Amino acid sequence: MALIGYARVSTDLQDTAAQRRELKSAGCTEIHEEFASGAARARPVLAKLVASLGRGDVLVVVRIDRLARSLSHLLEVIETLEARGAHFRSLGDPIDTTSPQGKFTLQILGATAEFERALIRERTMAGLASAREKGRVGGNPRLRDRDPEAIAKVSRARDRSYFDKLNGEAQHWLPAVRQFRPRLPWEDVVRIINSRHSSAKPWTVERLRRAAGRFVKDGLLDRAVLDRAPPAQKDDRILAIIAGIKSSAPEMTLKEIAARLEAMREPTPRGRSKWATSSVAHFLSRAAEAGLLGEEARHGRP
């Protein structure tokens, strides 16, 4: 049973030394520190730590206020740990999910939290009913009245939020769009992007077109990327895909490119699922002759 400590202070001007001493005395083999306000929802160190714990591991804190920002947050973390087969222990509180007494305390906390949520729901519903009786309706009155300025403001806010999300994901999709559009159809570009970033949320043609259109609108992409892809023979299409893979990662070997094509489920010109390195080399040679490879890609690893 590995004891893993978590120490938190509100700012980097504060010191975790006292917490570390208590955690070490309790037998923690490693201790993770985080500098975050008690009310902050973002706890990247804690999130990464919880995700790394395995069956039988125990997350240990000095007090529960070092871990959670609220009772519901505490229960959420503990439920996540239990789903992973891990446990939780607070040195300063009667909570230790490795013992029957600690689990009983946790059940009481859970019942208390549910009671609080029920009270909040009841008060909210009563408040809404009272407001309706008095002729008041919730929401933005200017939006209810279809005020053009209010609608435009909401629309701008939504657009800004959408752009910020796209910008945060740009390293996944933007290079491929710039490199392959409109030379390749959207379907092929989507497959290339998804093969490069298999752990990210898969892109669809519709989502990628919309993202590209949004960047074109702000002048961050050439409008030509939205043009229709020219008709091409199957060999020409594969040639462009292989050239694109090599250009984006010049250090890739023939074997690695073949594996990438298989991961993309790209069949060979003869319709086979397995690519031979000799076929990849043939297409790379043709790509070099056609001027589709940059200097670095032409001199990458064989």
Side-chain angles (χ1 to χ4, degrees), residues 172 189-204 207 264:
H172 292 159
V189 180
V190 164
R191 291 166 62 203
I192 291 171
I193 294 172
N194 289 338
S195 71
R196 288 179 180 176
H197 307 283
S198 57
S199 61
K201 178 183 177 181
W203 285 84
T204 64
R207 192 159 76 96
M264 292 169 57

Side-chain angles (χ1 to χ4, degrees), residues 253-269:
T253 65
L254 298 176
K255 186 176 181 180
E256 289 168 340
I257 295 175
R260 174 69 64 81
L261 291 167
E262 291 167 9
M264 292 169 57
R265 301 184 184 278
E266 182 63 47
T268 68

